[in-house]
Amino acid sequence: MRFVSCRLMSPAVSDLSPDPGEIATLVALRRDLHAHPELGFEEVRTSAIVKTFLAECGLDVQAGIGGTGVVGTLRGRAGGPSIALRADMDALAMPETAERPHRSTIPGRMHACGHDGHTAMLLGAARALARRNDLAGTVHFVFQPAEEGRGGAQAMVEDGLFERFQIDRFYGLHNMPGIPVGRMAVVPGAQLASSDRWHVTFRGVGTHGGKPHLGRDPIVAAGQFLTSLQTVVSRGTDPIQTAVVSACAIQAGDFEALNVIPDDIRIGGTARAYSHAVRDRLEAEIGRVADGIASANGIAADYAFHRQMPPVVNDDDATVRATNAALAALGEENVITAFPPSTAGDDFAIFSSRVPGAYVWLGNGPAQDGALHHNGHYDFNDDALAHGIRFWTTLVAQELRAI
Ligand SMILES: [Zn+2]
Ligand SMILES: [Zn+2]
């Protein structure tokens, strides 16, 4: 893939950079959000702050979308595209174990994924862009609730996000420890895996443990299933593709009744893939193996595959646009175009599977004390704020044909 350098047609980077006073204000805001973390769909305080901030910038604000979601809309001249930028607002149900001035004030709640930083950066970008009068098109600043497994993106979609707002392209950004501050990774293709749950229940006929021939043993079937399950990836998936299938829970019988073969055994697990085709294949193959094992044992199998989150797969055209913005904002030497995908998930995928989208990684610097995402010592790096804002403002300026 070739990327067009925008250096020659871009204004000086400093023209798109927030001034130090504005950065200090946003750092204070970010730390205030960090000190007051809220779980998914409970972001009442956070979304009120976001709503007020956007309104004071002069944007059209619609709150309460999908629960606590907020969208601020900036309209430029007619004729340009309509794009959306996403920040997530929620925290995690875990204690903050680090001592720091802006430590969480709420027991058992923590911003351990840097969503406080995402929110502050997108607000900073909104304020910078609201001051401009050279944009052609529309930008929607989307503040999403409940990214951490509670279905905030889906809730916004079900509340009419795509009917209420024209969105041609959707962009998401996440901080990444290990990438130096001032650098970004913008990579085509798969970024994050799908994340789905599956359940199998083998229904046999319970009997006396000493007389197995009088029943149909579901435990033996479960043992065969767990070993055969490994072939779903090793034999049933294209070796060039990546997939994960794990059994993570199993339940049957009673340790107080070790002379009883139970009627049923229940198994559950996770399935992950980086493409829609492999995801479909995993759903079919796990069920096929369960049915086959059940049939061989003369019992029944109930199978359910619960689709939770699609993979995040960057659209080629949107990736080129994001790359060009990163090149102009941070300089060629600071843009990484090859970076391994993660087996974590992000429900930004719900947005980017409806319209073309790109999801980019912003450097958060070295992992402090070895703390990565979802660790009790993790913190968003305030030094990254200005870089993230410059990326967002450059992307909008390029998309809305101001430069
Ligand atoms: Zn997270
Ligand atoms: Zn996150």
Side-chain angles (χ1 to χ4, degrees):
M1 184 176 295
R2 292 192 315 116
F3 299 109
V4 179
S5 171
C6 292
R7 291 177 135 195
L8 293 177
M9 58 185 190
S10 302
V13 161
S14 57
D15 292 351
L16 295 164
S17 300
D19 65 53
E22 172 72 348
I23 288 295
T25 303
L26 293 169
V27 167
L29 171 62
R30 201 287 292 180
R31 293 183 175 196
D32 176 71
L33 296 176
H34 189 93
H36 300 90
E38 297 172 300
L39 298 183
F41 296 124
E42 299 170 13
E43 307 97 332
V44 176
R45 180 182 185 275
T46 307
S47 90
I49 290 170
V50 166
K51 182 181 166 188
T52 303
F53 191 105
L54 294 173
E56 286 177 358
C57 293
L59 271 60
D60 290 342
V61 184
Q62 293 197 34
I65 302 176
T68 42
V70 183
V71 176
T73 298
L74 176 64
R75 289 188 178 82
R77 296 191 313 279
S82 184
I83 64 170
L85 315 179
R86 192 287 304 256
D88 36 17
M89 301 186 290
D90 57 323
L92 288 147
M94 57 183 282
E96 182 156 13
T97 50
E99 284 297 336
R100 48 176 67 107
H102 53 283
R103 184 175 197 267
S104 170
T105 57
I106 303 171
R109 304 279 186 272
M110 183 194 173
H111 268 296
C113 207
H115 298 184
D116 46 348
H118 301 166
T119 300
M121 277 188 290
L122 196 57
L123 288 174
R127 183 143 71 189
L129 289 161
R131 295 192 182 115
R132 301 180 63 138
N133 58 6
D134 57 347
L135 304 175
T138 302
V139 53
H140 302 293
F141 301 90
V142 177
F143 293 83
Q144 179 204 316
E147 187 283 323
E148 297 284 5
R150 291 189 169 197
Q154 184 65 31
M156 291 191 89
V157 169
E158 288 175 3
D159 206 5
L161 181 73
F162 287 97
E163 289 76 35
R164 290 155 81 163
F165 305 99
Q166 164 72 31
I167 298 173
D168 301 325
R169 280 178 291 283
F170 225 122
Y171 294 95
L173 174 153
H174 205 290
N175 72 94
M176 179 54 85
I179 297 178
V181 168
R183 303 187 82 181
M184 291 181 67
V186 188
V187 185
Q191 307 303 304
L192 293 145
S194 60
S195 176
D196 299 316
R197 290 187 300 187
W198 54 266
H199 290 93
V200 173
T201 301
F202 288 109
R203 301 200 182 283
V205 178
T207 185
H208 194 294
K211 303 173 185 174
H213 61 293
L214 299 180
R216 289 285 183 184
D217 188 348
I219 289 186
V220 170
Q224 294 167 351
F225 171 74
L226 289 172
T227 50
S228 297
L229 186 65
Q230 308 310 314
T231 66
V232 169
V233 174
S234 69
R235 305 290 89 181
T237 304
D238 179 349
I240 305 301
Q241 303 285 336
T242 300
V244 180
V245 176
S246 296
C248 301
I250 185 163
Q251 205 170 53
D254 190 330
F255 283 92
E256 299 302 318
L258 295 180
N259 55 354
V260 176
I261 292 172
D263 285 323
D264 304 331
I265 186 165
R266 187 166 168 244
I267 305 168
T270 188
R272 292 169 189 238
Y274 289 116
S275 78
H276 299 288
V278 171
R279 186 189 194 201
D280 293 344
R281 178 94 176 178
L282 295 182
E283 177 173 5
E285 288 287 301
I286 297 168
R288 186 184 61 76
V289 170
D291 285 343
I293 297 289
S295 171
N297 284 274
I299 63 175
D302 296 339
Y303 173 58
F305 190 93
H306 304 283
R307 291 188 168 229
Q308 293 184 290
M309 210 182 293
V312 175
V313 183
N314 279 354
D315 172 78
D316 284 348
D317 172 62
T319 306
V320 171
R321 293 169 186 272
T323 304
N324 285 338
L327 289 169
L330 304 181
E332 197 171 342
E333 65 282 10
N334 292 317
V335 180
I336 301 162
T337 53
F339 190 73
S342 164
T343 48
D346 189 316
D347 68 357
F348 175 78
I350 302 279
F351 300 142
S352 66
S353 51
R354 287 189 163 239
V355 294
Y359 183 97
V360 303
W361 303 102
L362 177 69
N364 203 58
Q368 297 295 331
D369 303 324
L372 299 169
H373 292 141
H374 297 201
N375 180 288
H377 276 72
Y378 194 70
D379 197 14
F380 180 83
N381 189 335
D382 288 320
D383 292 341
L385 271 171
H387 303 290
I389 293 169
R390 200 157 64 236
F391 168 72
W392 280 137
T393 53
T394 306
L395 176 68
V396 171
Q398 291 185 349
E399 280 272 26
L400 274 59
R401 292 191 248 150
I403 56 178

Coordinates of all heavy atoms in Angstrom, one line a residue, residues 86 88 90 92 112-115 118 147-148 174-175 345-346 359 373-374, ligand 2:
R86 N -14.5 8.7 17.5 CA -15.0 8.0 18.7 C -14.0 8.1 19.9 O -12.8 7.9 19.8 CB -15.2 6.5 18.4 CG -16.0 5.7 19.4 CD -15.3 5.3 20.7 NE -14.1 4.6 20.6 CZ -13.9 3.3 20.9 NH1 -14.9 2.6 21.2 NH2 -12.7 2.8 20.8
D88 N -14.1 6.6 24.1 CA -14.9 5.8 25.0 C -14.7 6.5 26.4 O -13.7 7.1 26.7 CB -14.5 4.4 25.0 CG -13.0 4.1 24.8 OD1 -12.2 5.1 24.9 OD2 -12.7 3.0 24.4
D90 N -15.8 5.0 29.7 CA -16.0 4.1 30.9 C -14.7 3.6 31.5 O -13.7 3.6 30.9 CB -16.9 2.9 30.5 CG -16.3 2.1 29.4 OD1 -15.7 2.6 28.4 OD2 -16.4 0.8 29.5
L92 N -13.1 0.7 34.7 CA -13.2 -0.7 35.0 C -13.5 -1.0 36.5 O -13.2 -0.2 37.3 CB -11.9 -1.4 34.6 CG -11.6 -1.5 33.1 CD1 -10.2 -1.4 32.8 CD2 -12.2 -2.8 32.6
A112 N -8.3 2.1 34.1 CA -7.1 1.4 33.8 C -6.9 1.1 32.4 O -6.0 0.2 32.0 CB -7.2 0.1 34.6
C113 N -7.7 1.7 31.5 CA -7.5 1.5 30.1 C -7.3 2.8 29.3 O -7.2 2.8 28.1 CB -8.8 0.8 29.5 SG -8.4 -0.2 28.0
G114 N -7.2 3.9 30.1 CA -6.9 5.2 29.5 C -8.0 5.9 28.8 O -7.8 6.8 28.0
H115 N -9.3 5.5 29.1 CA -10.4 6.1 28.4 C -10.6 7.6 28.9 O -11.2 8.4 28.2 CB -11.7 5.3 28.7 CG -11.6 3.9 28.1 ND1 -12.7 3.0 28.1 CD2 -10.6 3.2 27.4 CE1 -12.3 1.9 27.5 NE2 -11.1 2.0 27.1
H118 N -8.7 9.3 26.4 CA -9.4 9.4 25.1 C -10.5 10.5 25.1 O -10.6 11.3 24.1 CB -10.1 8.1 24.8 CG -9.2 6.9 24.7 ND1 -9.6 5.6 24.7 CD2 -7.8 6.8 24.7 CE1 -8.6 4.8 24.7 NE2 -7.5 5.5 24.6
E147 N -17.6 0.7 26.8 CA -16.8 0.0 25.9 C -16.3 -1.4 26.5 O -16.2 -2.3 25.8 CB -15.6 0.8 25.4 CG -14.8 0.2 24.3 CD -13.9 -1.0 24.7 OE1 -13.3 -0.8 25.8 OE2 -13.7 -2.0 24.0
E148 N -16.1 -1.4 27.8 CA -15.5 -2.5 28.4 C -16.5 -3.7 28.6 O -16.8 -4.1 29.7 CB -14.9 -2.1 29.8 CG -13.8 -1.1 29.7 CD -12.5 -1.7 29.2 OE1 -12.4 -2.9 28.8 OE2 -11.5 -0.9 29.2
H174 N -7.0 4.4 20.2 CA -6.7 3.9 21.6 C -5.3 4.1 21.9 O -4.4 3.9 21.1 CB -7.1 2.4 21.6 CG -7.4 1.9 23.0 ND1 -6.5 1.8 24.0 CD2 -8.6 1.6 23.6 CE1 -7.1 1.4 25.1 NE2 -8.4 1.3 24.9
N175 N -5.0 4.4 23.2 CA -3.6 4.5 23.7 C -3.0 3.1 23.7 O -3.7 2.1 23.9 CB -3.6 5.2 25.0 CG -4.1 4.3 26.1 OD1 -3.4 3.6 26.8 ND2 -5.5 4.3 26.3
G345 N -10.5 -7.2 22.4 CA -11.6 -6.7 21.5 C -11.9 -5.3 21.8 O -11.5 -4.7 22.8
D346 N -12.6 -4.6 20.9 CA -13.1 -3.2 21.1 C -14.4 -3.1 20.3 O -14.4 -3.4 19.1 CB -12.1 -2.2 20.6 CG -12.5 -0.8 21.1 OD1 -13.7 -0.4 21.0 OD2 -11.6 0.0 21.6
Y359 N -9.0 2.3 13.0 CA -8.8 2.3 14.4 C -7.2 2.4 14.5 O -6.5 1.6 13.9 CB -9.3 1.0 15.0 CG -9.2 0.8 16.5 CD1 -10.3 1.1 17.3 CD2 -8.0 0.3 17.1 CE1 -10.2 0.9 18.6 CE2 -8.0 0.1 18.4 CZ -9.1 0.3 19.2 OH -9.0 0.1 20.6
H373 N -2.5 -2.2 30.0 CA -3.9 -2.0 30.2 C -4.5 -3.0 31.2 O -4.2 -4.1 31.3 CB -4.6 -2.2 28.8 CG -4.3 -1.2 27.8 ND1 -4.1 -1.6 26.5 CD2 -4.1 0.1 27.9 CE1 -3.8 -0.5 25.8 NE2 -3.8 0.6 26.6
H374 N -5.5 -2.5 32.0 CA -6.2 -3.3 32.9 C -5.4 -3.7 34.1 O -5.7 -4.7 34.8 CB -6.9 -4.5 32.3 CG -8.0 -4.1 31.2 ND1 -9.0 -4.9 30.8 CD2 -8.1 -2.9 30.5 CE1 -9.7 -4.3 29.9 NE2 -9.2 -3.1 29.7
Ligands
ZN2 ZN -9.8 0.5 26.3

